[in-house]
């Protein structure tokens, strides 16, 4: 999908759909949104829809940062305390490493 | 330009085979398409079993190809699209789940269900969006490469040795016949699509450029007045030649019998678009010249080709006693074959099967290297004789 060839309204619509889609627990979608539309929003010379695209990209970036923070915290906690939690830790684990914890 | 994706796919497959032992373990499980075991007492029995397995597999593939062509001919597009959608769903979620599980086990990493759910969910949904709807080109290509690698890994795991090599050989022959013979199902498919001025296939086609999708979006707009009719017409015709890479038909690895062969036959011979594109561009010059010639010269390769190339190299690295020598030899052989195929494509300007030449070279190199070169190198190393 080449963004160059799309008219501006469609770019806006696509950006918006990616932004809204990200609310379904899809931080990856927000990442794609940011990376893909970054140029459109900040580098290109201004056009009518650019302001809205900028807002969407900024909000996607914000949401992404939030998700990264939450995930990092949770992963750190889990990896650190997994062995100590005993049964609960095992229950939460998808794969359990073998050997000395 | 097709070398990079093919190489990437093969690298992913070989890297996984080398590191994750799951894909080389023989659990005794087999696909239902290959019911005859290969760990038999006599060599003759084994040969017979593998021939039977290969025959069953090829028959299934042929039947599925015919079903597909019939569905396409009688315009049952919904059925085809639904099928592809479901199979890509399976591949993106289920197989990647298994893959991740095995990778985590191999590296002895703890993973909790929550993070795993987030990862798989994101990977799957964004994959579905990129492949079936709209997404950045690079990401779409990356996803297609990843699912090809996943499929190839499934094949490597579940197909016994001799069966796999036989299947590779037979499917290249079938590919040759299906695409080049006048009555071949794939040729019929291509020609029907051309007649109807439609994109060839909502199937697994890897394309190196994505101009087509945009052009096809243009054709959805309502018809304008006659002066503008010329350009949408031109765009439609250009759009015909490039099937949008849509959902790769997935194969469920034989756990449920339905779609394996469909995927295979779909994937195998699809290198048609270059041809149709060229043909259309050679239509009467009344049409205005194309705007971005560079972009439209993207080459397309069916995902089945990716899968079988990777499967060959993967099997070579898994099974060969010569290890890296053999793997590299097969890798080079396949790339050379791909080169030749592209050359032939440029010469003949028509749909060509991508499998035969590469697979043939690959097989020759594999067996030659394994049986001739490796003992030779071993002996040389043993005697410390450098040439």
């Amino acid at each position: 999908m080449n963004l160059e060839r799309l008219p501006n309204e469609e770019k806006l619509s696509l950006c918006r759909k990616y932004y809204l889609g990200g609310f379904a627990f899809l931080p990856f979608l927000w990442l794609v949104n940011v990376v893909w539309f970054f140029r459109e929003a900040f580098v290109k010379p201004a056009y009518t829809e650019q302001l809205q695209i900028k807002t969407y990209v900024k909000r996607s970036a914000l949401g992404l940062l939030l998700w990264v923070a939450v995930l990092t915290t949770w992963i750190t906690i889990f990896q650190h305390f997994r062995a100590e939690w005993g049964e609960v830790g095992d229950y939460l684990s998808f794969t359990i490493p073998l050997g000395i914890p | 330009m097709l070398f990079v994706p093919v190489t990437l796919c093969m690298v992913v497959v070989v890297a996984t085979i080398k590191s994750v032992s799951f894909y080389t373990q023989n659990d005794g499980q087999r696909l239902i398409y290959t019911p005859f075991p290969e760990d038999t007492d006599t060599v003759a029995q084994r040969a017979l079993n593998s021939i039977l397995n290969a025959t069953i597999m090829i028959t299934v593939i042929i039947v599925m190809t015919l079903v597909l062509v019939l569905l396409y001919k009688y315009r049952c597009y919904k059925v085809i699209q639904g099928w592809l959608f479901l199979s890509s769903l399976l591949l993106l979620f289920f197989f990647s789940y298994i893959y991740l599980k095995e990778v985590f086990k191999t590296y002895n990493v703890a993973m909790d269900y929550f993070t795993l759910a987030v990862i798989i969910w994101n990977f799957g949904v964004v994959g579905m969006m990129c492949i079936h709807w709209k997404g950045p080109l690079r990401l779409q290509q990356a996803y297609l490469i990843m699912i090809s690698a996943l499929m190839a890994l499934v094949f490597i795991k579940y197909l016994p040795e001799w069966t796999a090599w036989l299947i590779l050989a037979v499917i290249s022959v079938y590919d040759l016949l299906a695409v080049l013979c006048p009555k071949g199902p794939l040729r019929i498919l291509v020609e029907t699509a051309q007649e109807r001025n439609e994109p060839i296939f909502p199937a697994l086609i890897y394309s190196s450029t994505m101009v087509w999708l945009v052009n096809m979006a243009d054709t959805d707009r309502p018809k304008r007045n006659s002066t503008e009719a010329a350009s949408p017409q031109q765009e439609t015709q250009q759009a015909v030649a490039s099937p949008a890479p849509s959902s790769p038909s997935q194969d469920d690895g034989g756990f449920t019998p339905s779609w394996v062969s469909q995927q295979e036959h779909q994937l195998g011979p699809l290198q048609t678009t270059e041809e149709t594109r060229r043909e259309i561009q050679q239509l009467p010059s009344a049409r205005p010249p194309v705007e971005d010639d560079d972009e439209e010269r993207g080459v397309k390769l069916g995902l089945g080709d990716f899968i079988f190339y990777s499967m060959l190299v993967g099997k070579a690295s898994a099974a060969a006693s010569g290890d890296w020598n053999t793997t590299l030899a097969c890798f080079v052989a396949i790339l050379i074959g791909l080169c030749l195929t592209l050359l032939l494509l440029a010469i003949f300007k028509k749909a060509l099967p991508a499998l035969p030449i590469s697979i043939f070279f690959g097989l020759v190199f594999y067996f030659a290297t394994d049986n001739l070169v490796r003992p030779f190198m071993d002996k040389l190393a043993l005697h410390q004789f450098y040439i």
Side-chain angles (χ1 to χ4, degrees):
Chain A
M1 169 112 287
N2 197 352
L3 274 186
E4 308 287 324
R5 298 294 198 88
L6 283 180
N8 290 337
E9 311 85 48
E10 288 189 24
K11 281 186 212 167
L12 180 64
S13 150
L14 202 60
C15 190
R16 188 161 176 273
K17 286 190 186 138
Y18 268 68
Y19 168 65
L20 292 175
F23 281 107
F25 293 94
L26 292 169
F28 190 32
L29 204 57
W30 275 334
L31 177 66
V32 172
N33 204 11
V34 168
V35 170
W36 201 19
F37 281 97
F38 186 77
R39 230 209 214 157
E40 287 294 322
F42 296 108
V43 177
K44 286 249 169 89
Y47 51 91
T48 30
E49 290 83 358
Q50 198 188 36
L51 195 59
Q52 280 183 293
I53 292 185
K54 255 193 209 171
T55 350
Y56 286 136
V57 170
K58 283 187 197 156
R59 288 194 200 154
S60 300
L62 201 65
L64 180 68
L65 279 171
L66 208 69
W67 262 99
V68 167
V70 167
L71 272 178
T72 322
T73 327
W74 165 246
I75 290 177
T76 329
I77 295 178
F78 180 74
Q79 295 291 342
H80 200 57
F81 291 114
R82 184 188 54 82
E84 292 161 19
W85 281 344
E87 253 191 53
V88 178
D90 283 351
Y91 179 64
L92 282 175
S93 297
F94 168 55
T95 48
I96 302 177
L98 310 166
I100 305 167
Chain B
M1 68 199 94
L2 275 180
F3 298 124
V4 174
V6 173
T7 313
L8 274 176
C9 194
M10 291 199 264
V11 161
V12 169
V13 170
V14 172
T16 312
I17 295 273
K18 287 294 182 191
S19 54
V20 180
S21 61
F22 172 72
Y23 287 103
T24 40
Q25 280 164 3
N26 189 1
D27 299 340
Q29 260 183 312
R30 280 187 304 277
L31 299 177
I32 62 159
Y33 301 103
T34 55
F36 297 98
E38 273 201 16
D39 47 352
T40 55
D41 304 324
T42 66
V43 175
Q45 186 72 13
R46 185 176 189 186
L48 184 68
N49 278 356
S50 56
I51 293 178
L52 286 171
N53 277 339
T55 320
I56 296 179
M57 198 81 163
I58 295 297
T59 320
V60 175
I61 291 178
I62 295 180
V63 165
M64 303 302 301
T65 322
L66 290 173
V67 166
L68 194 71
V69 173
L70 282 174
L71 281 178
Y72 190 71
K73 235 183 157 133
Y74 294 112
R75 300 175 188 269
C76 311
Y77 296 137
K78 291 290 181 188
V79 178
I80 298 181
Q81 278 172 8
W83 198 0
L84 290 176
F85 187 78
L86 283 173
S87 50
S88 59
L89 204 72
L90 185 76
L91 203 62
L92 278 172
F93 286 97
F94 186 55
F95 284 169
S96 51
Y97 168 79
I98 292 183
Y99 181 77
L100 265 183
K101 182 159 83 152
E102 293 308 320
V103 168
F104 285 142
K105 269 200 208 151
T106 309
Y107 289 108
N108 228 10
V109 171
M111 179 55 59
D112 55 306
Y113 279 111
F114 175 66
T115 321
L116 179 81
V118 171
I119 294 177
I120 299 278
W121 173 242
N122 274 275
F123 181 72
V125 171
V126 178
M128 294 298 283
M129 280 181 66
C130 273
I131 296 173
H132 293 257
W133 191 52
K134 304 176 195 160
L137 176 64
R138 290 289 174 218
L139 197 61
Q140 185 174 36
Q141 293 174 332
Y143 267 105
L144 290 175
I145 293 176
M146 282 190 270
I147 58 178
S148 305
L150 281 174
M151 267 310 304
L153 286 170
V154 166
F155 276 149
I156 293 174
K157 179 170 173 63
Y158 288 110
L159 286 180
E161 290 279 340
W162 291 14
T163 313
W165 297 114
L166 263 178
I167 286 183
L168 275 175
V170 178
I171 207 169
S172 354
V173 171
Y174 170 66
D175 194 12
L176 198 65
L177 294 174
V179 175
L180 293 179
C181 289
K183 278 300 176 187
L186 293 159
R187 193 180 173 124
I188 296 179
L189 197 67
V190 172
E191 287 166 2
T192 321
Q194 267 182 278
E195 282 166 39
R196 295 186 195 166
N197 256 2
E198 280 166 2
I200 302 266
F201 228 112
L204 302 169
I205 308 258
Y206 176 95
S207 163
S208 50
T209 66
M210 210 30 62
V211 188
W212 307 116
L213 263 185
V214 181
N215 283 340
M216 281 193 280
D218 287 342
T219 66
D220 286 341
R221 298 208 196 112
K223 287 290 174 201
R224 293 162 290 227
N225 56 35
S226 54
T227 53
E228 286 181 275
S231 41
Q233 179 65 23
Q234 167 195 359
E235 284 170 348
T236 325
Q237 288 189 328
Q238 290 167 359
V240 174
S242 54
S246 42
S247 60
S249 48
Q250 304 290 317
D251 162 1
D252 52 20
F255 293 113
T256 65
S258 32
W259 307 317
V260 177
S261 41
Q262 189 241 346
Q263 178 178 13
E264 285 148 16
H265 72 256
Q266 272 185 5
L267 301 179
L270 288 176
Q271 200 182 5
T272 60
T273 54
E274 171 86 8
E275 168 251 342
T276 49
R277 191 167 52 76
R278 293 280 175 85
E279 284 194 19
I280 287 172
Q281 282 180 358
Q282 285 160 10
L283 285 177
S285 52
R287 296 180 0 173
V290 200
E291 315 141 29
D292 295 21
D293 238 1
D294 305 329
E295 285 199 47
E296 288 165 2
R297 250 174 240 136
V299 189
K300 292 165 184 50
L301 188 64
L303 280 195
D305 300 330
F306 276 87
I307 294 182
F308 284 112
Y309 293 161
S310 312
M311 186 182 138
L312 195 150
V313 180
K315 263 286 189 228
S317 74
S321 38
D323 232 18
W324 285 109
N325 270 335
T326 326
T327 313
L328 280 176
C330 288
F331 171 68
V332 170
I334 290 184
L335 285 186
I336 293 179
L338 190 63
C339 241
L340 282 174
T341 314
L342 288 177
L343 201 68
L344 285 178
L345 192 69
I347 296 176
F348 286 115
K349 299 192 201 301
K350 52 186 296 215
L352 286 182
L355 282 181
I357 303 178
S358 291
I359 301 279
F360 175 66
F361 278 172
L363 288 175
V364 163
F365 270 60
Y366 172 72
F367 287 111
T369 316
D370 205 28
N371 297 319
L372 298 175
V373 178
R374 190 195 50 84
F376 179 56
M377 301 295 282
D378 284 347
K379 268 284 169 48
L380 284 185
L382 192 63
H383 295 282
Q384 293 285 295
F385 188 68
Y386 295 102
I387 50 171

